[in-house]
Amino acid sequence: MSTVKVEIQLSLQQLLKAIEQLNQQDLDNFVSQVLALQRQRQIKKQLEYEAELLAEISEPIPLDIQTSHERLTTKKDAATLTSYEYGELLGLTEQIETLQAEYLNNLIELASLRGILLNTLIEALNIQTRIYTGL
């Protein structure tokens, strides 16, 4: 049997009325195909989200933040930190803590999406956790 491509626009209601005309076997086949299409789209969306999470996970703490924090921590330890520098150190510490929390949340989210434990994810991806120890 030959098929001819005809482009038409149907409302969802019109499409449903057309589907109502299918016999049971064709309806079952149609439903199976729609469910497969739905699952395919869900998988694609999940893979895209996982890729976003992996990209965020792989971003290190910016070097300028680390360097400034280490410099100010050294001055604090040497008791030569000014009050302005102390405020700057607190701000940098807060930034680092926020970045670390986002990092851990992304790891947890990715493990949850994959239905595995966090430790399993870390081992599977061979991730060196980037917890900044200069705090």
Side-chain angles (χ1 to χ4, degrees):
M1 174 191 292
S2 300
T3 59
V4 177
K5 181 178 180 181
V6 178
E7 291 189 35
I8 60 171
Q9 290 186 346
L10 295 175
S11 69
L12 189 55
Q13 193 62 32
Q14 291 169 323
L15 179 60
L16 187 55
K17 285 199 179 294
I19 293 169
E20 286 175 348
Q21 298 173 32
L22 297 174
N23 65 39
Q24 189 61 45
Q25 183 177 355
D26 289 340
L27 179 60
D28 290 344
N29 289 337
F30 179 77
V31 169
S32 293
Q33 291 174 6
V34 169
L35 291 173
L37 175 63
Q38 181 184 40
R39 182 66 184 140
Q40 191 177 40
R41 287 183 179 178
Q42 289 170 339
I43 289 170
K44 181 182 178 194
K45 185 176 180 180
Q46 181 174 338
L47 290 174
E48 289 171 352
Y49 184 52
E50 284 186 17
E52 288 175 26
L53 288 173
L54 283 168
E56 290 177 20
I57 287 167
S58 66
E59 288 182 24
I61 293 175
L63 189 57
D64 62 327
I65 292 176
Q66 286 184 48
T67 303
S68 295
H69 189 273
E70 289 167 6
R71 177 182 55 80
L72 292 171
T73 300
T74 300
K75 288 186 81 171
K76 180 183 72 110
D77 293 344
T80 60
L81 195 65
T82 67
S83 60
Y84 175 81
E85 290 171 327
Y86 180 71
E88 187 180 353
L89 178 60
L90 290 178
L92 290 170
T93 300
E94 186 175 320
Q95 281 183 297
I96 291 169
E97 289 174 347
T98 299
L99 290 170
Q100 288 181 333
E102 290 171 2
Y103 171 76
L104 289 173
N105 284 335
N106 288 335
L107 282 174
I108 292 166
E109 178 72 15
L110 185 58
S112 176
L113 282 174
R114 293 185 176 185
I116 59 176
L117 296 173
L118 181 58
N119 288 344
T120 305
L121 175 73
I122 290 170
E123 289 173 13
L125 297 178
N126 196 23
I127 293 176
Q128 299 297 318
T129 55
R130 72 153 201 223
I131 302 302
Y132 179 68
T133 57
L135 296 177

